[in-house]
Amino acid sequence: MSLSIRNQLTGTVTDVTPGAVMATVKVRLAGGQDLTAAITLEAAEELKLAAGSDVRALVKSTEVALATARVEGLSIRNQFPGSVTEVTTGGAMAAVKVDVAGGTLTAAITKEAAADLGLAAGSPVVALMKSTEVSLAAV
């Protein structure tokens, strides 16, 4: 299946914590980072997710935020340091490609934000993704 979601990272489930409606799923990505996804309990059960399951984590580029350094005191669990490889700007938006351990992420941010952060190839950044914005696919 082909998808329009640019950000697809492979990994292995390390833990599933079920709740009444939602489950948190911890995934060790191929690059060694730990990612948290919050998905419905129904989806976790249908995908038969358990420790050792191979998955692909999917995040829309509009759900990836960028910071110039790690952010403390924030509820966002998924923070991946990396380096900007490309910035493409349009009239209002910018697509920023970021190399992180084990893959590449694309963030769609405003052109103004890219300029304010001084983003250019080689800029160090941290990609941030809320766990509720991470989808999982069984591999």
Side-chain angles (χ1 to χ4, degrees):
M1 172 188 332
S2 295
L3 297 172
S4 64
I5 297 175
R6 298 296 85 198
N7 300 312
Q8 301 185 27
L9 302 169
T10 58
T12 303
V13 173
T14 58
D15 186 55
V16 178
T17 305
V21 176
M22 301 290 289
T24 57
V25 182
K26 303 281 186 183
V27 177
R28 173 70 44 92
L29 298 177
Q33 316 93 316
D34 291 317
L35 173 134
T36 301
I39 63 173
T40 65
L41 181 60
E42 181 181 10
E45 291 171 347
E46 284 179 10
L47 292 171
K48 297 179 175 58
L49 297 180
S53 300
D54 290 328
V55 294
R56 177 167 286 140
L58 307 150
V59 184
K60 290 175 60 175
S61 59
T62 53
E63 301 303 332
V64 177
L66 298 176
T68 56
R70 190 159 179 80
V71 182
E72 299 297 327
L74 188 66
S75 65
I76 296 176
R77 301 292 87 190
N78 300 310
Q79 297 191 34
F80 301 116
S83 179
V84 173
T85 58
E86 181 182 342
V87 178
T88 305
T89 56
M93 300 295 289
V96 182
K97 292 193 182 294
V98 178
D99 272 351
V100 297
T104 300
L105 294 172
T106 300
I109 63 174
T110 65
K111 180 179 170 181
E112 183 179 345
D116 287 349
L117 295 173
L119 300 181
S123 298
V125 293
V126 176
L128 302 102
M129 298 165 283
K130 290 179 64 174
S131 60
T132 53
E133 300 304 328
V134 177
S135 297
L136 296 176
V139 180

